[in-house]
Amino acid sequence: MSLKVKTMAEMMASGQTPEVLFWVGCAGSFDDRAKKITIAFAKILQHAQVSFAVLGSEESCTGDPAKRSGNEFLFQMQAMQNIMVLNGYEVKKIVTACPHCFNTLKNEYPALGGNYLVLHHTEFLQQLINEGRLTIKGGVFKGKRITFHDPCYLGRGNGIYEAPRELIYKLDSELVEMTNCKARGFCCGAGGAQMFKEAEKGNKEVNIERTEQALEVNPDIISTGCPFCMTMMTDGVKMKNKETQIKVYDIAELIAQANDL
Amino acid sequence: MGAENIIFLLLFLVAFTLFFRNAAKIKRNIFLGKKVIPEGSKSARLKTMLKVALGQSKMTAKPVAGILHILVYAGFVIINLEMLEIVIDGIFGTHRIFSFAGSFYNSLIASFEVLALLVLVSCLLFFIRRNLLKLSRFRKPELNGWPRNDANFILITEVFLMSAFLIMNAADATLQQQQVQHYVQSGCFPVSSLFASLFIGLDTSTLIFIERFCWWFHIVGILVFLNYLPYSKHLHIILSFPNTYFSKLKPKGELNNMESVTREVKLMLDPEANPYASPPDSVSQIPERFGAKDIFDLNRIQLLNAYSCTECGRCTSECPANNTGKKLSPRKIMMDVRDRLEEVGKAIDKNGSNYKDEKTLLGHYISEEEILACTTCNACTQACPINIDPLSIIIELRRNLLMEESKAPAEWAGMLTNIENNGAPWQFSQADRLRWSEEN
Ligand code: SF4
Ligand code: SF4
């Protein structure tokens, strides 16, 4: 079944302006596991009757991994090209399920001429709930122990700790915090372009360390809000042979499941 | 004025001249870095400084160490108010010149005594904690040698200084009881009176010797300590103020955009631009190095950061790379920058300001392996009690490695090529970006 997601170009052609642009990001577009997050979020948007569009084939990498690996040149090339597209469509508001895209679009694009209101999907979902446009059905996760792994670029990077937690409360589940949470959250190991290379020599992988921290609080579900954290935590749980007992989900997936979307 | 007073005055002048000379050198070294416009408004920066440096708001993230540190800090600063009296007494040969303030003076001295005891006990606890408890952040390789001795020296000195202060008071109080001339009846000694009974049998001249010895030890100790600061991590008692004042106010996740790159990219993307035209005057002809290879390429705030670092290792103990056995330690990055800066500074002292050596920060002090291990997670900047930003330095070094030296690790090179060619870090076609909507 196709989700019938409209692109900006299609919207433009039919004279429509969406409320918000959904920035899908590279992981959300191409990574098999992350695509499920994209689909879950798009379904929630449709369910809440939010008028949204994507850029589709006009979207390109924000340049985050280029910038953080040290290739500022490529980052700015990407940024300027994306800004031309976004400004061409007069985009005002952007939502994304990737904290790396979120951080780059929100903080690093303005100086290059890209000024938008940028929201992480957990913030956007919380707003929908506050505005009464979305209700979360409790039940499915009642009594489940859910821990939240703070993505660095959402938490420390941009000070957003509460939006995802508020959503977990709404699920009627039990939020169990790791010792290293919020401002002291421990990285999953993917940031700073580490996702795209082997780690340097050490005595452990960062994602294993983080997974062990999560396992300490005996969760049924490890939740997060970043496609890269998703990869790292999923791999970590597998390495620990816990994938049958413990599931890793994005907050959007939890909400989609709760609402049976 | 007796000979004693002249010696005191000379010592005092020499100590301060030396200190200001060293301070000027540190300033010169910091100014080897690139000029930088500080972020945000003055009031926002001032607020950060008052909160983080004066209020020590980030220290209590580790409660025990945090509270002990606040005690030592407050105690040390307040007790140094006593310095004013010591200096006047020293120059004019008076004794306890402020004692005319009566009960106010007595309560001040009493509170100094209590604080001195608290500082003394805290420093002893710090010493035990640093040397006997096996705290991993005090056992990292970058602390071997001088840095560990430096830390212990500071603690021991403070213990001695505080002890001298208390013993001096005990001797003074006993002399007052013996109604020795010059020792005016003043002060209130809640702490030193506890052990003053030890002095009761001693004759007046011995007591005067003890009192004078401790007085001189205290003041000379402080003057020596002042001159020790420029060589020590203890410099943070001064530099943490400007350091927090100039610290980052923007979201931690935001990295600066390089303006030199912006100019070039704009030129490339502008269809009107003539690629053969000579650059406008505003674009300097001197080719700017991308990123940082040496301290000259870092900015002044980053160099100030290095001089301010307390070597506490809170950054390193939160660093995911370091915690999983990688070579990277954000504390070491800061220590390396300071060491290199000092090396360059000394060479300039010797050979003049144009002197250049063959060494560089990246390569001789910091290895590629270290900077490549960073996940840019900001745990270090969050943990630092005085808002130091090791990450910004790591990024500048990476920029140099990738853009100047073209030394991206192979996997990164592939990732970067993919972004360049198909707009994603993996080899997928940009045309397929909406495929997910059909895969449901
Ligand atoms: S930003 Fe880099 S150096 Fe700092 S804690 Fe994270 S991984 Fe370590
Ligand atoms: S950078 Fe900050 S946290 Fe790290 S050792 Fe220095 S003062 Fe401590």
Side-chain angles (χ1 to χ4, degrees):
Chain A
M1 194 186 81
S2 163
L3 261 179
K4 298 215 175 49
V5 175
K6 284 207 179 128
T7 62
M8 273 317 259
E10 288 163 355
M11 281 259 181
M12 193 78 149
S14 58
Q16 287 168 288
T17 322
E19 176 187 338
V20 64
L21 172 82
F22 173 21
W23 183 277
V24 181
C26 299
S29 301
F30 296 124
D31 180 271
D32 283 332
R33 179 67 190 82
K35 279 194 266 187
K36 296 198 173 128
I37 305 171
T38 311
I39 291 166
F41 183 60
K43 281 183 177 169
I44 300 172
L45 290 178
Q46 290 180 341
H47 167 75
Q49 295 179 342
V50 176
S51 134
F52 73 98
V54 297
L55 284 176
S57 58
E58 286 184 283
E59 190 186 277
S60 190
C61 176
T62 58
D64 163 86
K67 187 178 184 83
R68 281 162 180 77
S69 68
N71 192 332
E72 178 75 7
F73 202 83
L74 182 55
F75 160 71
Q76 291 203 14
M77 290 290 283
Q78 288 298 116
M80 300 246 196
Q81 287 170 12
N82 281 323
I83 288 168
M84 276 195 258
V85 174
L86 290 166
N87 289 356
Y89 287 121
E90 295 180 19
V91 169
K92 301 270 174 319
K93 192 170 171 184
I94 302 176
V95 63
T96 177
C98 173
H100 296 265
C101 297
F102 165 73
N103 176 67
T104 309
L105 292 165
K106 174 172 166 284
N107 297 325
E108 290 159 2
Y109 276 30
L112 302 171
N115 291 285
Y116 322 102
L117 174 64
V118 188
L119 297 168
H120 184 247
H121 70 318
T122 55
E123 289 181 293
F124 190 78
L125 290 171
Q126 207 202 349
Q127 284 182 10
L128 288 180
I129 292 170
N130 291 346
E131 291 163 9
R133 297 166 72 188
L134 174 70
T135 41
I136 298 179
K137 289 188 218 148
V140 181
F141 298 106
K142 203 169 165 70
K144 289 260 190 272
R145 290 169 67 85
I146 303 184
T147 189
F148 181 69
H149 162 75
D150 289 276
C152 299
Y153 277 89
L154 188 64
R156 269 190 305 274
N158 287 287
I160 299 171
Y161 301 110
E162 289 313 319
R165 290 182 166 78
E166 292 290 327
L167 294 170
I168 294 175
Y169 290 133
K170 293 263 164 28
L171 291 168
D172 258 355
S173 52
E174 189 189 344
L175 173 64
V176 283
E177 294 284 11
M178 295 181 240
T179 320
N180 283 313
C181 67
K182 299 186 183 170
R184 282 202 64 207
F186 195 86
C187 180
C188 71
Q194 299 300 339
M195 180 76 187
F196 306 102
K197 68 168 180 54
E198 286 299 313
E200 276 50 50
K201 208 167 94 321
N203 52 31
K204 206 185 222 177
E205 292 294 335
V206 176
N207 68 325
I208 300 297
E209 174 65 30
R210 185 51 167 169
T211 305
E212 287 170 358
Q213 293 177 5
L215 296 184
E216 271 174 29
V217 296
N218 283 316
D220 298 306
I221 293 167
I222 299 172
S223 65
T224 186
C226 170
F228 297 104
C229 298
M230 172 60 70
T231 306
M232 289 307 198
M233 298 309 284
T234 310
D235 287 353
V237 171
K238 264 191 210 134
M239 296 286 280
K240 291 266 151 194
N241 294 317
K242 293 272 183 212
E243 71 266 36
T244 44
Q245 301 105 294
I246 299 173
K247 301 285 172 218
V248 187
Y249 285 123
D250 187 274
I251 303 264
E253 293 179 296
L254 294 176
I255 293 177
Q257 284 180 39
N259 282 14
D260 201 16
L261 298 174
Chain B
M1 228 187 240
E4 205 181 313
N5 309 117
I6 293 171
I7 294 172
F8 176 81
L9 193 62
L10 278 178
L11 264 179
F12 192 75
L13 290 177
V14 168
F16 271 86
T17 316
L18 262 177
F19 174 73
F20 282 113
R21 263 185 48 191
N22 278 326
K25 265 186 201 164
I26 288 174
K27 184 171 173 197
R28 178 206 64 197
N29 289 355
I30 289 173
F31 275 65
L32 292 174
K34 289 200 274 186
K35 214 170 156 177
V36 54
I37 303 161
E39 272 177 54
S41 65
K42 279 199 173 124
S43 65
R45 298 204 296 266
L46 201 64
K47 232 173 99 185
T48 311
M49 182 182 92
L50 292 177
K51 201 172 110 194
V52 179
L54 192 69
Q56 307 207 354
S57 58
K58 292 176 94 180
M59 279 305 290
T60 41
K62 295 193 185 292
V64 179
I67 290 166
L68 287 180
H69 184 270
I70 290 172
L71 273 179
V72 173
Y73 165 73
F76 202 74
V77 168
I78 295 171
I79 291 163
N80 275 316
L81 290 176
E82 164 88 350
M83 275 288 287
L84 192 62
E85 182 175 55
I86 294 187
V87 170
I88 296 176
D89 284 349
I91 297 174
F92 298 106
T94 47
H95 187 72
R96 295 195 183 266
I97 180 96
F98 293 146
S99 56
F100 66 83
S103 59
F104 177 65
Y105 180 79
N106 292 351
S107 50
L108 264 184
I109 296 292
S111 55
F112 291 164
E113 284 221 330
V114 174
L115 282 167
L117 180 69
L118 288 173
V119 171
L120 202 154
V121 172
S122 304
C123 286
L124 284 174
L125 289 174
F126 270 143
F127 188 85
I128 293 170
R129 173 166 154 278
R130 187 173 275 270
N131 294 288
L132 301 181
L133 303 185
K134 306 230 176 309
L135 284 182
S136 77
R137 72 184 156 113
F138 296 130
R139 311 205 147 242
K140 299 275 174 190
E142 65 261 26
L143 287 191
N144 289 345
W146 163 249
R148 183 166 291 117
N149 295 340
D150 178 24
N152 285 332
F153 177 75
I154 294 163
L155 291 173
I156 293 169
T157 308
E158 292 203 26
V159 168
F160 278 135
L161 287 177
M162 293 303 123
S163 309
F165 177 73
L166 291 171
I167 295 172
M168 173 183 87
N169 280 351
D172 193 324
T174 318
L175 286 162
Q176 287 180 27
Q177 271 167 21
Q178 296 184 1
Q179 302 198 327
V180 177
Q181 199 205 1
H182 194 65
Y183 289 89
V184 284
Q185 296 289 334
S186 64
C188 166
F189 308 103
V191 177
S192 57
S193 60
L194 298 177
F195 61 89
S197 56
L198 293 175
F199 291 168
I200 282 175
L202 299 179
D203 60 48
T204 307
S205 60
T206 315
L207 278 170
I208 292 182
F209 177 78
I210 294 174
E211 193 274 338
R212 284 290 88 193
F213 181 83
C214 288
W215 187 91
W216 279 97
F217 184 87
H218 186 68
I219 182 67
V220 172
I222 283 177
L223 293 177
V224 170
F225 205 52
L226 181 72
N227 277 290
Y228 178 67
L229 293 184
Y231 306 98
S232 163
K233 73 174 183 106
H234 216 54
L235 193 53
H236 77 270
I237 65 169
I238 299 170
L239 290 190
S240 56
F241 290 88
N243 190 75
T244 47
Y245 182 76
F246 290 115
S247 64
K248 186 171 177 175
L249 297 167
K250 292 190 273 199
K252 286 193 184 306
E254 177 175 347
L255 294 182
N256 70 323
N257 290 330
M258 293 170 70
E259 276 168 35
S260 53
V261 170
T262 311
R263 281 194 297 269
E264 279 191 45
V265 170
K266 279 203 172 129
L267 226 60
M268 282 181 69
L269 293 175
D270 181 2
E272 315 274 284
N274 174 1
Y276 303 107
S278 56
D281 287 344
S282 64
V283 182
S284 119
Q285 292 286 356
I286 312 156
E288 199 192 340
R289 213 184 226 177
F290 288 123
K293 189 165 181 70
D294 208 350
I295 45 118
F296 306 98
D297 312 316
L298 293 171
N299 71 41
R300 292 171 188 176
I301 295 179
Q302 290 168 324
L303 299 184
L304 172 64
N305 276 187
Y307 270 121
S308 310
C309 176
T310 76
E311 298 170 14
C312 68
R314 289 180 182 221
C315 51
T316 295
S317 70
E318 298 287 311
C319 172
N322 192 277
N323 270 288
T324 52
K326 317 301 191 281
K327 244 178 99 186
L328 171 64
S329 160
R331 166 171 60 189
K332 176 176 174 291
I333 301 283
M334 301 317 300
M335 293 170 71
D336 285 342
V337 173
R338 180 169 176 174
D339 287 348
R340 171 63 183 152
L341 194 48
E342 282 285 297
E343 180 181 59
V344 170
K346 279 191 194 122
I348 290 177
D349 288 341
K350 236 171 108 189
N351 307 295
S353 60
N354 288 325
Y355 180 80
K356 290 258 150 65
D357 59 13
E358 293 306 303
K359 286 196 196 167
T360 49
L361 178 65
L362 179 60
H364 291 92
Y365 285 80
I366 301 172
S367 64
E368 291 167 23
E369 181 182 341
E370 288 164 75
I371 59 167
L372 287 176
C374 173
T375 72
T376 71
C377 73
N378 271 302
C380 51
T381 64
Q382 177 76 36
C384 180
I386 53 171
N387 285 357
I388 286 173
D389 187 353
L391 172 56
S392 75
I393 296 175
I394 295 173
I395 289 293
E396 288 301 340
L397 297 172
R398 277 191 184 178
R399 283 172 174 167
N400 189 268
L401 191 67
L402 266 84
M403 291 195 287
E404 201 72 41
E405 315 257 317
S406 307
K407 279 203 316 227
E411 292 160 294
W412 272 2
M415 174 268 291
L416 295 165
T417 312
N418 288 333
I419 294 179
E420 213 174 322
N421 293 341
N422 46 275
W426 302 285
Q427 266 190 340
F428 291 106
S429 160
Q430 196 168 351
D432 292 338
R433 281 188 95 101
L434 202 46
R435 275 289 243 332
W436 59 269
S437 68
E438 274 124 47
E439 289 172 13
N440 171 36

